[in-house]
Amino acid sequence: RADAIRWISDLAANGATQTDDALKEAFANLDVNTIILLSDGQPTRANLKTGGGELIDTSKILDQVKAWNRLRNVKIHTFCFKAFESMNAQPQNGFDPKKCLEFLEELATQNGGKLSKV
């Protein structure tokens, strides 16, 4: 637990939510049987020119996870901010809270997990 707290404390925001890379790294460990994904945004790829992120097609992530998980049955539980439910549905700078919720719910549902809103 102390190692996890230390690891999280050392994280730094870089303007992107590289969900695909996080899932790839988690699946690389063959001992993993459960993944807990905490996210505050839609999947993006870092853009070094702008310092922000460019949206990634979530269907590609879902397809890739399905392929990785075909024989492993890794459960994926997702967490995001409950405030996303009540946020205005108008995307701001490409961020759409409803799409973020939909993706995280679908990722969890397709992989035997559940979406929790905190």
Side-chain angles (χ1 to χ4, degrees):
R1 182 174 174 193
D3 287 344
I5 291 170
R6 205 171 12 263
W7 183 81
I8 290 170
S9 296
D10 289 341
L11 292 176
N14 67 2
T17 304
Q18 295 181 201
T19 310
D20 56 337
D21 287 345
L23 289 166
K24 182 179 182 180
E25 189 168 331
F27 272 98
N29 182 335
L30 297 179
D31 293 329
V32 166
N33 63 12
T34 303
I35 295 171
I36 305 212
L37 177 68
L38 296 89
S39 183
D40 67 348
Q42 288 172 258
T44 55
R45 172 73 46 224
N47 183 326
L48 299 177
K49 291 179 185 175
T50 66
E54 296 175 9
L55 292 176
I56 298 173
D57 180 355
T58 56
S59 66
K60 290 181 181 178
I61 296 172
L62 294 170
D63 288 346
Q64 184 63 64
V65 169
K66 187 181 286 185
W68 289 329
N69 211 12
R70 190 171 60 89
L71 299 175
R72 292 189 51 191
N73 198 31
V74 173
K75 292 204 182 313
I76 301 177
H77 300 284
T78 59
F79 289 79
C80 72
F81 296 115
K82 186 172 179 58
F84 286 177
E85 284 182 318
S86 59
M87 288 176 75
N88 185 347
Q90 298 301 318
Q92 301 259 337
N93 295 329
F95 173 67
D96 185 338
K98 290 197 184 294
K99 285 188 177 184
C100 182
L101 277 171
E102 289 169 4
F103 166 68
L104 292 173
E105 186 165 35
E106 188 147 351
L107 180 63
T109 300
Q110 287 183 7
N111 294 283
K114 127 181 182 181
L115 167 66
S116 296
K117 300 166 193 165
V118 293

